[in-house]
Amino acid sequence: MMQQSHIPVMLGEVLDVFSSNLKPLSSFVDCTLGAAGHASAIIQSHPELKLFIGMDVDPLALRMARSRINAAISHSHPHPNFQALTFVKNFRHIRSLLTQVDHISSGVDGILMDLGMSSMQVNNPARGFSVLANGPLDMRMDPQASLKAEDILNSWPDSEVGRILRDYGEERNWRLLQNKLAQARLQGGLHSTGELVDVIRSTTPGTKGGRQGWIKTATRVFQALRIAVNDELKTLEDSPHACFDCLAPEGRLAVISFHSLEDRIVKQVFLKIIGEEGRDSVRKIKGGEDEKELWIRQTIQGSNGTILTKRPITPSEKEEGFNRRRRSAKLRVIQKL
């Protein structure tokens, strides 16, 4: 069940990004609709908005999001021609999707990508994302996809499983875990998150960090498997380019990432998008002179656009205290010329 108290990550900061621009927000795409927290706030904050498009690969999340969007519309004063459209689609398909939508031939004014997992996914043991709740080794964001974490752990070459743990989980003890997982295959394989956690706990000395020690290791392992199951990093490498192409002049793309692998990719892709290949050739410009744009501290100007966040925006101390899982969130914004 979706938590009614759901508060999206960095909501105030996201609203600032899309409210402070001098360009009216007539069209907006939420690439990762989730529980529609950001979407609802955008709709309520922009009476000039004529078209909202929401995308998500999770049909259950989309059904819940539609209900919340309808509630947001009923409690606001939308534009007379306002339309809200939702699609069960991965954001990697944004370019082809928008070609099917009328009245946006010149591009959209704002696009948001929130790469974090929603609480309704993490808290549902049947999805296999939770370290603390036993469930199937699934981890698919798209329930219609064929590859599951169970397939990787029981069928992929040992060396590939080790690479996933090393590269996607940034796990230092990846080789020991690889060997332990290989042994588990010989004993019938792994078929539940609980069995996987047991293997992880067996590799973590009880004196090293106690309960938090194995939980941190398990979190990295689960992250690595989830990334592999959903091909997240390859999707992230390609999608910002497609999103930027879909922007109208002066339109903005905002991306919220939650771990160093994602943030590193977003940072490098943004530099490539604006036409700058390396930091040495970047021209730095002071920002924040407009009182409506105080969140802009320093920008990077390129031939195709401007990175409005030379350094990413991070959650406030208050928000970090509210939810410790948000401490790693980073918001980066790029604007088309």
Side-chain angles (χ1 to χ4, degrees), residues 2 18 34 38 76 112 132 181 185 207 226 238 273 278-279:
M2 179 178 64
F18 293 109
H38 290 115
S76 60
L112 173 66
L132 299 177
L181 293 170
R185 287 186 185 183
T207 57
R226 192 199 73 230
D238 298 337
I273 286 174
R279 294 178 64 86

Side-chain angles (χ1 to χ4, degrees), residues 95-315:
R95 189 187 285 113
S96 61
L97 175 65
L98 293 187
T99 60
Q100 304 169 29
V101 179
D102 295 333
H103 311 304
I104 55 170
S105 56
S106 60
V108 295
D109 300 317
I111 300 176
L112 173 66
M113 296 169 60
D114 177 357
L115 304 177
M117 296 184 60
S118 69
S119 57
M120 61 183 170
Q121 291 169 326
V122 176
N123 296 336
N124 182 355
R127 303 297 297 272
F129 295 117
S130 176
V131 169
L132 299 177
N134 190 33
L137 279 168
D138 194 319
M139 302 194 192
R140 292 172 298 172
M141 302 297 288
D142 177 1
Q144 301 302 315
S146 57
L147 182 64
K148 301 179 183 179
E150 182 176 3
D151 302 322
I152 293 175
L153 290 170
N154 294 317
S155 303
W156 284 23
D158 295 348
S159 58
E160 185 65 7
V161 173
R163 184 194 67 81
I164 288 170
L165 298 177
R166 183 192 66 209
D167 295 349
Y168 297 167
E170 297 182 296
E171 172 54 47
R172 287 180 295 179
N173 294 325
W174 64 270
R175 197 180 298 277
L176 173 60
L177 280 164
Q178 173 187 318
N179 293 335
K180 287 285 187 178
L181 293 170
Q183 293 173 17
R185 287 186 185 183
L186 301 177
Q187 299 169 6
L190 295 167
H191 307 287
S192 70
T193 56
E195 291 173 349
L196 175 58
V197 166
D198 286 342
V199 172
I200 294 168
R201 294 186 69 170
S202 73
T203 68
T204 308
T207 57
K208 188 177 181 180
R211 183 172 185 266
Q212 287 301 314
W214 71 260
I215 287 180
K216 289 179 180 178
T217 301
T219 299
R220 291 190 289 269
V221 171
F222 276 55
Q223 170 185 296
L225 290 169
R226 192 199 73 230
I227 289 173
V229 167
N230 299 287
D231 196 20
E232 293 180 15
L233 298 188
K234 179 67 170 97
T235 299
L236 183 56
E237 289 172 0
D238 298 337
S239 299
H241 289 279
C243 288
F244 189 81
D245 289 344
C246 294
L247 288 174
E250 298 183 15
R252 289 177 175 177
L253 164 64
V255 182
I256 304 175
S257 63
F258 286 85
H259 56 77
S260 59
L261 293 174
E262 291 176 339
D263 183 58
R264 196 177 304 134
I265 290 173
V266 174
K267 176 183 177 181
Q268 294 302 320
V269 171
F270 274 14
L271 286 171
K272 290 179 181 178
I273 286 174
I274 66 171
E276 302 287 354
E277 292 297 328
R279 294 178 64 86
D280 291 342
S281 63
V282 167
R283 182 162 60 96
K284 302 173 184 177
I285 304 172
K286 293 290 184 180
E289 297 177 357
D290 189 320
E291 62 179 9
K292 293 183 179 180
E293 300 278 83
L294 292 177
W295 59 273
I296 300 178
R297 301 297 176 85
Q298 200 170 33
T299 65
I300 303 175
Q301 182 72 48
S303 57
N304 300 318
T306 304
I307 297 173
L308 301 180
T309 47
K310 179 180 180 291
R311 292 183 176 85
I313 302 170
T314 56

